[in-house]
Amino acid sequence: MNSSSGVQKRSVRTFAMAGMILIFIAYMFPFLMVVINSLKQKRDIIKSPFSWLFTVKGLSFDNFVKAFNQMDFLNAIKNSLIITVSATAIVTILAAMLAYFIVRNNNMLTRIIFALMVASMIIPFQAIMIPLVSIYGGTLNLLNHRLTLIFMHVGFSMSMTVFMFHGFIRGSVPIALEEAAYLDGCTHTQTFFKIVFPLLKPIMSTTLILNALAFWNDFLLPSLVLTDKKLLTLPLSTYSFYGTYSADYGTIMAGLLLCVVPLLILYIALQKQIINGVVAGAVK
């Protein structure tokens, strides 16, 4: 019995490992094709997009040099960093403060505010983007400003972030710690930033990751707000490789990799913190 159960367990592990390998290959295959084709000329990509051995001119890094210059990479990454870091920091602090206020002041007004914020999450952005652009662009003339885009990012991500902080504070932050802080003479502001805010690190890691990735990779909202070439973010700058009747596929793929590289470096550097934050946030 023991030997048969051991063989069965090994078979299950083998099939599970084979399944994970197949899933890994399926996920990595498109990325591998982007890497390979970014090193090939346009004629080789069109002739044989899945091959990296048979090329007319061989593999080269010319596409990366061309993409770096054409998309103004340094300026684009500066814009992306300013917008992403600013919007993420603002929405994290404001959402944590608002969620804490709603949890600790459970009255009719706060319940209505929270219900409205949760209800707003079901409204798709596509339903309001035309009125949004017409008001901010045509009426207020506030387009082509990084602050406008940061303001919109904060507004559209506030509801979900407040919802996540609300659940964590309600279930995982004991009010006894705050009462002890009040007895020691702390004000409401001091209690929040010295006692409550440090306890929010697990869920804060989760919201930081989700919001930062969303802001960094967003194409639709920046394309509506930013049209000045000096203000383009990385996703917008890759659109410069598309012509009216043709596209330079090798340069496009090199540009896509240049957009992904900063996120890969960040993930490798903070891999342990990111995984711990996501797992802790999910458990809480």
Side-chain angles (χ1 to χ4, degrees), residues 18-35:
M20 287 190 292
I21 293 174
L22 291 176
I23 293 173
F24 174 78
I25 294 174
Y27 271 96
M28 289 302 298
F29 181 76
F31 180 75
L32 182 62
M33 288 297 98
V34 171
V35 174

Side-chain angles (χ1 to χ4, degrees), residues 34-74:
V34 171
V35 174
I36 292 174
N37 288 313
S38 67
L39 301 172
K40 295 159 59 175
Q41 301 298 321
K42 181 177 179 179
R43 67 178 68 179
D44 296 321
I45 297 174
I46 296 175
K47 180 180 179 181
S48 181
F50 297 104
S51 173
W52 60 280
L53 294 176
F54 304 102
T55 60
V56 176
K57 295 184 178 180
L59 303 180
S60 69
F61 290 92
D62 294 341
N63 290 327
F64 288 92
V65 177
K66 183 179 178 181
F68 187 91
N69 295 326
Q70 187 171 335
M71 68 191 297
D72 196 3
F73 181 78
L74 295 179

Side-chain angles (χ1 to χ4, degrees), residues 10 26 47 141 174 198 265:
R10 286 194 297 270
K47 180 180 179 181
N141 195 25
I265 295 175

